[in-house]
Amino acid sequence: MEEEKVKAAEEEETWSKETVPKVIRIMSTRLSQRDIISLLLVSPWLHRTLVSYPSLWLVIDLREMNNAGNRLVAALSIPRYRHVREINLEFAQDIEDRHLELLKTKCLGSLQDLESLNLNGCQKISDKGIEIISSTCPELKVFSIYWNVRVTDIGIQHLVKNCKHIIDLNLSGCKNLLDKSLQLIADNYQELESLNLTRCVKLTDGGLQKILIKCSSLRSLNLYALSGFTDEAYKKISLLAHLKFLDLCGAQNLSDEGLACIAKCKNLVSLNLTWCVRITDVGVMAIAEGCSSLEFLSLFGIVGVTDKCLEVLSRFCSNTLTTLDVNGCVGIKNYLIHYISDLISSH
């Protein structure tokens, strides 16, 4: 009897020390935060076990949820979230500046390790909200506030003042930002790796050039639907030696000369030239010869390209290119499209 008790104790110890940690590691990579929270309700033992592993409670995911502001305050008041690293509030409902103020007054200690904050689509957040939340998250590295028309240069000023370690910044759709914001970003975030300025329509060549000159570590640059820039700025993209992703969809003023400068970005993997209507074979051939690691290229809607550029692409990029979009390129003949498709599908 005594031996059975000892054996049972040993098995329980093995389960606790070896099996449970393995299961937890699998769960942390396979299950979403919401699924893990659901498991808390299965049994008191499982609740205690899950709560005892801090690595499971580094994310708060309130995407598209109602009453998100109050939910966030309540979650951060729970001890297990005291070292949260990521908060996702994308398109969450009812999140306002006042909730961020409550976080500052009630949950300041829980935000000291926060590295990623997603406020995409949270349109009730203003410059004041950015001031509040940035002052409570000194370790923030990733900040996203897509589709917010209330944010101005003042909000960006607060961000760069309070958060010194930003490397990934998404300002897509923040239509009221001016060149001053780009100046602030360029002066303070020279280690920036990813920047999304989609539809920030009030920006000019002057502001973009400041980014391109000072933020030389950029690996991803999204300038989607920004028709106001010219070659004066586009040429300086060549300064970004580490650039891998570049979206220039709708760059109506980009010429072959500007594109030839971009071709100096040897590490470029993805390039979107959709509706870059001034581009011809000359510019695309420069890209083919200069960017031999290219995997994705969109020429959608460019009527000035012909079979000639595809021949050069097949010669220089056939070993890497996996996606080539030539829809709407009326100068390209069908047989060459099939030829390129065969090259792409062969690797």
Side-chain angles (χ1 to χ4, degrees):
M1 188 71 175
E2 190 64 32
E3 288 181 2
E4 290 180 0
K5 289 183 178 180
V6 171
K7 186 177 180 181
E10 289 175 349
E11 289 177 350
E12 185 175 348
E13 185 177 3
T14 300
W15 170 263
S16 299
K17 289 185 176 180
E18 297 181 14
T19 307
V20 172
K22 289 178 182 178
V23 172
I24 295 297
R25 280 196 295 273
I26 293 171
M27 288 174 53
S28 64
T29 57
R30 304 280 181 87
L31 295 183
S32 70
Q33 182 68 18
R34 296 182 188 185
D35 289 334
I36 293 173
I37 290 173
S38 298
L39 288 175
L40 292 174
L41 304 176
V42 172
S43 73
W45 176 86
L46 188 55
H47 185 286
R48 288 193 303 272
T49 302
L50 293 177
V51 169
S52 68
Y53 282 85
S55 61
L56 293 177
W57 310 106
L58 299 178
V59 177
I60 295 178
D61 182 3
L62 297 174
R63 286 173 297 169
E64 302 178 4
M65 283 195 175
N66 294 321
N67 196 27
N70 291 330
R71 286 173 183 259
L72 180 61
V73 175
L76 285 170
S77 301
I78 302 173
R80 64 174 178 264
Y81 285 116
R82 63 181 176 272
H83 297 297
V84 67
R85 299 287 179 85
E86 177 184 345
I87 295 176
N88 190 341
L89 295 167
E90 187 167 61
F91 292 103
Q93 303 298 310
D94 310 312
I95 180 80
E96 302 177 10
D97 289 348
R98 63 184 180 86
H99 295 114
L100 303 184
E101 183 68 60
L102 281 173
L103 292 181
K104 185 174 182 178
T105 56
K106 292 186 174 183
C107 313
L108 181 61
S110 298
L111 294 169
Q112 296 304 295
D113 297 324
L114 191 69
E115 296 180 352
S116 176
L117 177 61
N118 186 335
L119 294 174
N120 288 344
C122 298
Q123 297 184 34
K124 295 180 181 179
I125 301 298
S126 70
D127 290 334
K128 183 64 178 175
I130 293 181
E131 178 185 14
I132 294 167
I133 197 64
S134 64
S135 67
T136 63
C137 308
E139 300 302 318
L140 204 62
K141 294 179 181 179
V142 179
F143 183 65
S144 186
I145 192 162
Y146 156 82
W147 198 25
N148 187 314
V149 296
R150 300 185 67 187
V151 172
T152 71
D153 296 338
I154 295 172
I156 303 304
Q157 191 167 11
H158 292 308
L159 182 68
V160 301
K161 176 185 176 183
N162 295 320
C163 301
K164 304 296 185 182
H165 309 296
I166 298 289
I167 58 171
D168 188 328
L169 184 58
N170 184 354
L171 302 173
S172 173
C174 295
K175 298 181 178 181
N176 287 314
L177 297 183
L178 305 175
D179 285 344
K180 182 180 178 182
S181 286
L182 298 191
Q183 176 75 69
L184 289 164
I185 293 167
D187 289 342
N188 292 275
Y189 294 149
Q190 294 178 22
E191 299 302 314
L192 194 66
E193 295 180 5
S194 178
L195 178 62
N196 190 335
L197 298 173
T198 293
R199 290 195 172 93
C200 293
V201 293
K202 295 183 179 180
L203 304 178
T204 72
D205 280 348
L208 181 58
Q209 287 182 82
K210 290 179 174 63
I211 292 288
L212 299 175
I213 291 170
K214 290 193 172 184
C215 299
S216 59
S217 295
L218 276 171
R219 286 165 169 73
S220 176
L221 180 61
N222 196 327
L223 303 176
Y224 183 97
L226 293 172
S227 59
F229 295 137
T230 72
D231 278 350
E232 185 178 354
Y234 291 133
K235 288 178 180 179
K236 287 188 170 56
I237 292 176
S238 64
L239 299 173
L240 304 178
H242 305 289
L243 194 65
K244 290 189 173 184
F245 173 93
L246 179 61
D247 194 330
L248 295 173
C249 177
Q252 297 178 10
N253 297 316
L254 175 65
S255 73
D256 288 333
E257 186 179 357
L259 194 55
C261 291
I262 293 171
K264 295 176 183 177
C265 298
K266 305 295 184 183
N267 294 307
L268 208 58
V269 171
S270 176
L271 177 60
N272 187 357
L273 297 174
T274 297
W275 295 119
C276 294
V277 293
R278 294 182 61 193
I279 297 302
T280 71
D281 287 334
V282 174
V284 179
M285 288 189 293
I287 288 293
E289 294 175 12
C291 305
S292 57
S293 298
L294 207 60
E295 297 177 9
F296 172 93
L297 176 63
S298 176
L299 305 175
F300 185 102
I302 303 179
V303 298
V305 295
T306 69
D307 300 342
K308 189 175 181 181
C309 76
L310 290 195
E311 292 170 358
V312 179
L313 279 168
S314 68
R315 191 157 67 247
F316 289 94
C317 300
S318 61
N319 289 329
T320 60
L321 200 61
T322 59
T323 304
L324 175 64
D325 189 347
V326 292
N327 285 299
C329 299
V330 295
I332 293 176
K333 307 304 179 185
N334 285 333
Y335 78 89
L336 249 164
I337 294 175
H338 292 311
Y339 172 67
I340 293 292
S341 296
D342 289 342
L343 281 175
I344 289 173
S345 60
S346 67
H347 60 80

